Amino acid sequence: GRSDYVTLIANYQPLQGPYGGPNYFSMDPNALYEIHIDNNGDAAEDITFQFRFNNKLNNVALPIGVGAAQKSVAIPLIQAGAVANLSDANLNLNESYSVNVVRGDRRKGTVQAVTKAAGGASFEKPVDYIGVKTLGNDAAYAAYAGKHIHSIKVPGCPAGKDTGKVFVGQRQEGFAVNLGPIFD
């Protein structure tokens, strides 16, 4: 049977690994991230998905010092303890995003907001896998990241074909190429 599902993948922060810690990379709130789709082979976009990010610093503070000299000091890190839920209290940086779908030219076409199936146009992004102390083992991180897979409604699609899912976050490299055997 024919499938009516399409999977789109974009890689805006390749090769991210442990060297990027302790804060890793966040999505740029001043950038516009786009995925262009050409449905008719004319080398011009027919549909564009636009992603814009919002990074909210929570100013999580920890008590530093003892006795009368103790002060509450904001931390310079992404987290201050274990993380397991959306917008967890231990997260010092919450990333969220909005998605628009543009039909026609990406700058002059018709723009409509993609929304959560349950309502709302702001989507939460998981923190990157910092390590086991913060996010647990691989299975625990998969469960945490799974809470950030959002069911969506895509406007402008025929009824019954206007639903989907969106996820923005760290995943195993989807575009990996083992160059050694290629050059051998």
Side-chain angles (χ1 to χ4, degrees), residues 57-87:
L57 184 61
N58 296 318
N59 290 316
V60 171
L62 298 176
I64 306 297
V66 291
Q70 188 177 59
K71 294 181 183 180
S72 185
V73 177
I75 64 169
L77 302 171
I78 284 181
Q79 50 72 24
V83 173
N85 295 301
L86 274 70
S87 303

Side-chain angles (χ1 to χ4, degrees), residues 147-166:
K147 296 174 184 178
H148 297 82
I149 299 172
H150 304 284
S151 294
I152 60 171
K153 302 273 290 173
V154 181
C157 293
K161 296 185 184 278
D162 60 347
T163 60
K165 295 186 183 290
V166 67

Side-chain angles (χ1 to χ4, degrees), residues 1-18:
R2 195 187 110 191
S3 173
D4 289 331
Y5 296 99
V6 175
T7 300
L8 304 174
I9 299 173
N11 189 356
Y12 297 111
Q13 296 175 341
L15 305 174
Q16 188 171 353

